[in-house]
PDB file of all heavy atoms in Angstrom:
ATOM      1  N   ASN A 513      32.135  28.035  36.818  1.00 96.00           N
ATOM      2  CA  ASN A 513      32.740  26.619  36.642  1.00 96.00           C
ATOM      3  C   ASN A 513      34.200  26.642  36.425  1.00 96.00           C
ATOM      4  O   ASN A 513      34.911  25.844  37.043  1.00 96.00           O
ATOM      5  CB  ASN A 513      32.106  25.938  35.389  1.00 96.00           C
ATOM      6  CG  ASN A 513      30.765  25.347  35.738  1.00 96.00           C
ATOM      7  OD1 ASN A 513      30.263  25.382  36.860  1.00 96.00           O
ATOM      8  ND2 ASN A 513      30.033  24.843  34.729  1.00 96.00           N
ATOM      9  N   LYS A 516      35.555  27.187  39.734  1.00 94.00           N
ATOM     10  CA  LYS A 516      35.422  25.997  40.617  1.00 94.00           C
ATOM     11  C   LYS A 516      36.229  24.836  40.299  1.00 94.00           C
ATOM     12  O   LYS A 516      36.808  24.133  41.122  1.00 94.00           O
ATOM     13  CB  LYS A 516      33.931  25.527  40.501  1.00 94.00           C
ATOM     14  CG  LYS A 516      32.951  26.157  41.509  1.00 94.00           C
ATOM     15  CD  LYS A 516      31.614  25.309  41.624  1.00 94.00           C
ATOM     16  CE  LYS A 516      30.881  25.217  40.299  1.00 94.00           C
ATOM     17  NZ  LYS A 516      29.580  24.622  40.491  1.00 94.00           N
ATOM     18  N   TYR A 517      36.277  24.592  38.882  1.00 95.00           N
ATOM     19  CA  TYR A 517      36.986  23.371  38.539  1.00 95.00           C
ATOM     20  C   TYR A 517      38.364  23.600  37.947  1.00 95.00           C
ATOM     21  O   TYR A 517      39.150  22.639  37.870  1.00 95.00           O
ATOM     22  CB  TYR A 517      36.148  22.607  37.449  1.00 95.00           C
ATOM     23  CG  TYR A 517      34.741  22.280  37.862  1.00 95.00           C
ATOM     24  CD1 TYR A 517      33.650  22.918  37.343  1.00 95.00           C
ATOM     25  CD2 TYR A 517      34.552  21.295  38.877  1.00 95.00           C
ATOM     26  CE1 TYR A 517      32.330  22.638  37.785  1.00 95.00           C
ATOM     27  CE2 TYR A 517      33.198  21.001  39.277  1.00 95.00           C
ATOM     28  CZ  TYR A 517      32.178  21.678  38.753  1.00 95.00           C
ATOM     29  OH  TYR A 517      30.860  21.406  39.202  1.00 95.00           O
ATOM     30  N   ASP A 546      39.886  27.886  30.932  1.00 96.00           N
ATOM     31  CA  ASP A 546      40.700  27.694  32.112  1.00 96.00           C
ATOM     32  C   ASP A 546      41.726  26.637  31.836  1.00 96.00           C
ATOM     33  O   ASP A 546      41.643  25.831  30.804  1.00 96.00           O
ATOM     34  CB  ASP A 546      39.818  27.322  33.289  1.00 96.00           C
ATOM     35  CG  ASP A 546      39.184  25.965  33.144  1.00 96.00           C
ATOM     36  OD1 ASP A 546      39.915  24.949  33.281  1.00 96.00           O
ATOM     37  OD2 ASP A 546      37.960  25.930  32.900  1.00 96.00           O
ATOM     38  N   GLY A 550      40.350  19.753  33.485  1.00 94.00           N
ATOM     39  CA  GLY A 550      39.478  19.536  32.291  1.00 94.00           C
ATOM     40  C   GLY A 550      38.389  18.538  32.457  1.00 94.00           C
ATOM     41  O   GLY A 550      38.161  18.000  33.540  1.00 94.00           O
ATOM     42  N   ILE A 551      37.757  18.235  31.336  1.00 96.00           N
ATOM     43  CA  ILE A 551      36.598  17.344  31.310  1.00 96.00           C
ATOM     44  C   ILE A 551      36.995  16.068  30.578  1.00 96.00           C
ATOM     45  O   ILE A 551      37.413  16.169  29.391  1.00 96.00           O
ATOM     46  CB  ILE A 551      35.403  17.949  30.684  1.00 96.00           C
ATOM     47  CG1 ILE A 551      35.151  19.339  31.284  1.00 96.00           C
ATOM     48  CG2 ILE A 551      34.189  17.046  30.707  1.00 96.00           C
ATOM     49  CD1 ILE A 551      34.155  20.178  30.472  1.00 96.00           C
ATOM     50  N   ILE A 559      27.778  16.648  29.813  1.00 96.00           N
ATOM     51  CA  ILE A 559      27.878  17.755  30.843  1.00 96.00           C
ATOM     52  C   ILE A 559      26.671  18.698  30.616  1.00 96.00           C
ATOM     53  O   ILE A 559      26.286  19.403  31.629  1.00 96.00           O
ATOM     54  CB  ILE A 559      29.210  18.558  30.744  1.00 96.00           C
ATOM     55  CG1 ILE A 559      29.471  18.970  29.297  1.00 96.00           C
ATOM     56  CG2 ILE A 559      30.346  17.720  31.297  1.00 96.00           C
ATOM     57  CD1 ILE A 559      30.663  19.909  29.151  1.00 96.00           C
ATOM     58  N   TYR A 564      23.423  16.511  35.629  1.00 89.00           N
ATOM     59  CA  TYR A 564      24.538  15.716  35.537  1.00 89.00           C
ATOM     60  C   TYR A 564      25.814  16.398  36.178  1.00 89.00           C
ATOM     61  O   TYR A 564      26.003  17.582  36.010  1.00 89.00           O
ATOM     62  CB  TYR A 564      24.934  15.403  34.024  1.00 89.00           C
ATOM     63  CG  TYR A 564      26.247  14.621  33.858  1.00 89.00           C
ATOM     64  CD1 TYR A 564      26.166  13.261  34.072  1.00 89.00           C
ATOM     65  CD2 TYR A 564      27.382  15.287  33.583  1.00 89.00           C
ATOM     66  CE1 TYR A 564      27.392  12.518  34.014  1.00 89.00           C
ATOM     67  CE2 TYR A 564      28.609  14.543  33.487  1.00 89.00           C
ATOM     68  CZ  TYR A 564      28.575  13.141  33.703  1.00 89.00           C
ATOM     69  OH  TYR A 564      29.740  12.431  33.701  1.00 89.00           O
ATOM     70  N   ARG A 565      26.594  15.635  36.947  1.00 91.00           N
ATOM     71  CA  ARG A 565      27.727  16.140  37.604  1.00 91.00           C
ATOM     72  C   ARG A 565      28.946  15.237  37.312  1.00 91.00           C
ATOM     73  O   ARG A 565      28.810  13.931  37.357  1.00 91.00           O
ATOM     74  CB  ARG A 565      27.609  16.241  39.092  1.00 91.00           C
ATOM     75  CG  ARG A 565      26.455  17.060  39.485  1.00 91.00           C
ATOM     76  CD  ARG A 565      26.609  17.750  40.854  1.00 91.00           C
ATOM     77  NE  ARG A 565      27.676  18.790  40.799  1.00 91.00           N
ATOM     78  CZ  ARG A 565      28.440  19.119  41.816  1.00 91.00           C
ATOM     79  NH1 ARG A 565      28.375  18.482  42.939  1.00 91.00           N
ATOM     80  NH2 ARG A 565      29.363  20.045  41.630  1.00 91.00           N
ATOM     81  N   GLY A 566      30.091  15.772  36.984  1.00 94.00           N
ATOM     82  CA  GLY A 566      31.292  14.944  36.654  1.00 94.00           C
ATOM     83  C   GLY A 566      31.733  14.206  37.896  1.00 94.00           C
ATOM     84  O   GLY A 566      31.447  14.534  39.028  1.00 94.00           O
ATOM     85  N   ALA A 569      33.934  16.095  40.206  1.00 93.00           N
ATOM     86  CA  ALA A 569      33.106  17.122  40.993  1.00 93.00           C
ATOM     87  C   ALA A 569      32.445  16.424  42.171  1.00 93.00           C
ATOM     88  O   ALA A 569      32.470  16.956  43.343  1.00 93.00           O
ATOM     89  CB  ALA A 569      32.067  17.766  40.137  1.00 93.00           C
ATOM     90  N   GLY A 576      27.702  22.241  43.870  1.00 88.00           N
ATOM     91  CA  GLY A 576      27.077  22.438  42.496  1.00 88.00           C
ATOM     92  C   GLY A 576      25.811  21.593  42.490  1.00 88.00           C
ATOM     93  O   GLY A 576      25.488  20.735  43.353  1.00 88.00           O
ATOM     94  N   THR A 577      24.959  21.959  41.462  1.00 87.00           N
ATOM     95  CA  THR A 577      23.596  21.291  41.337  1.00 87.00           C
ATOM     96  C   THR A 577      23.502  20.437  40.138  1.00 87.00           C
ATOM     97  O   THR A 577      22.619  19.670  39.902  1.00 87.00           O
ATOM     98  CB  THR A 577      22.450  22.375  41.334  1.00 87.00           C
ATOM     99  OG1 THR A 577      22.837  23.210  40.237  1.00 87.00           O
ATOM    100  CG2 THR A 577      22.376  23.143  42.627  1.00 87.00           C
ATOM    101  N   GLY A 578      24.498  20.646  39.206  1.00 90.00           N
ATOM    102  CA  GLY A 578      24.439  19.893  37.944  1.00 90.00           C
ATOM    103  C   GLY A 578      23.479  20.566  37.002  1.00 90.00           C
ATOM    104  O   GLY A 578      23.067  19.940  35.998  1.00 90.00           O
ATOM    105  N   GLY A 580      23.971  24.047  36.072  1.00 94.00           N
ATOM    106  CA  GLY A 580      24.563  25.255  35.423  1.00 94.00           C
ATOM    107  C   GLY A 580      24.725  25.290  33.978  1.00 94.00           C
ATOM    108  O   GLY A 580      24.252  26.195  33.276  1.00 94.00           O
ATOM    109  N   LEU A 581      25.340  24.163  33.451  1.00 96.00           N
ATOM    110  CA  LEU A 581      25.612  24.163  32.033  1.00 96.00           C
ATOM    111  C   LEU A 581      24.299  23.924  31.225  1.00 96.00           C
ATOM    112  O   LEU A 581      24.118  24.462  30.101  1.00 96.00           O
ATOM    113  CB  LEU A 581      26.569  22.955  31.659  1.00 96.00           C
ATOM    114  CG  LEU A 581      28.029  23.291  32.031  1.00 96.00           C
ATOM    115  CD1 LEU A 581      28.982  22.087  31.633  1.00 96.00           C
ATOM    116  CD2 LEU A 581      28.538  24.554  31.385  1.00 96.00           C
ATOM    117  N   PHE A 607      34.841  26.946  26.749  1.00 98.00           N
ATOM    118  CA  PHE A 607      33.412  26.910  26.409  1.00 98.00           C
ATOM    119  C   PHE A 607      33.220  28.109  25.473  1.00 98.00           C
ATOM    120  O   PHE A 607      33.726  29.210  25.765  1.00 98.00           O
ATOM    121  CB  PHE A 607      32.507  27.068  27.610  1.00 98.00           C
ATOM    122  CG  PHE A 607      32.420  25.809  28.458  1.00 98.00           C
ATOM    123  CD1 PHE A 607      33.388  25.536  29.353  1.00 98.00           C
ATOM    124  CD2 PHE A 607      31.400  24.944  28.211  1.00 98.00           C
ATOM    125  CE1 PHE A 607      33.266  24.317  30.152  1.00 98.00           C
ATOM    126  CE2 PHE A 607      31.232  23.804  29.009  1.00 98.00           C
ATOM    127  CZ  PHE A 607      32.279  23.495  29.898  1.00 98.00           C
TER     128      PHE A 607
HETATM  129  P1  LIG B 716      27.749  21.771  38.463  1.00 93.34           P
HETATM  130  O1  LIG B 716      28.901  22.697  38.356  1.00 93.34           O
HETATM  131  O2  LIG B 716      26.729  22.290  39.421  1.00 93.34           O
HETATM  132  O3  LIG B 716      28.220  20.411  38.848  1.00 93.34           O
HETATM  133  P2  LIG B 716      27.287  22.262  35.735  1.00 93.34           P
HETATM  134  O4  LIG B 716      26.186  21.834  34.863  1.00 93.34           O
HETATM  135  O5  LIG B 716      27.736  23.646  35.712  1.00 93.34           O
HETATM  136  O6  LIG B 716      26.942  21.699  37.125  1.00 93.34           O
HETATM  137  O7  LIG B 716      28.481  21.349  35.212  1.00 93.34           O
HETATM  138  C1  LIG B 716      28.314  19.954  34.980  1.00 93.34           C
HETATM  139  C2  LIG B 716      29.624  19.216  35.121  1.00 93.34           C
HETATM  140  O8  LIG B 716      30.589  19.646  34.026  1.00 93.34           O
HETATM  141  C3  LIG B 716      30.338  19.536  36.395  1.00 93.34           C
HETATM  142  O9  LIG B 716      29.940  18.713  37.389  1.00 93.34           O
HETATM  143  C4  LIG B 716      31.792  19.190  35.928  1.00 93.34           C
HETATM  144  O10 LIG B 716      32.109  17.904  36.110  1.00 93.34           O
HETATM  145  C5  LIG B 716      31.847  19.642  34.496  1.00 93.34           C
HETATM  146  N1  LIG B 716      32.478  20.820  34.248  1.00 93.34           N
HETATM  147  C6  LIG B 716      31.874  22.055  33.947  1.00 93.34           C
HETATM  148  N2  LIG B 716      32.694  23.039  33.729  1.00 93.34           N
HETATM  149  C7  LIG B 716      33.940  22.476  33.881  1.00 93.34           C
HETATM  150  C8  LIG B 716      35.282  23.084  33.722  1.00 93.34           C
HETATM  151  N3  LIG B 716      35.503  24.329  33.448  1.00 93.34           N
HETATM  152  N4  LIG B 716      36.295  22.158  34.045  1.00 93.34           N
HETATM  153  C9  LIG B 716      36.068  20.862  34.295  1.00 93.34           C
HETATM  154  N5  LIG B 716      34.887  20.325  34.490  1.00 93.34           N
HETATM  155  C10 LIG B 716      33.822  21.114  34.163  1.00 93.34           C
END
Side-chain angles (χ1 to χ4, degrees):
N513 279 354
K516 267 197 300 187
Y517 303 110
D546 65 74
I551 307 163
I559 53 173
Y564 179 78
R565 306 209 67 211
T577 55
L581 286 182
F607 285 85

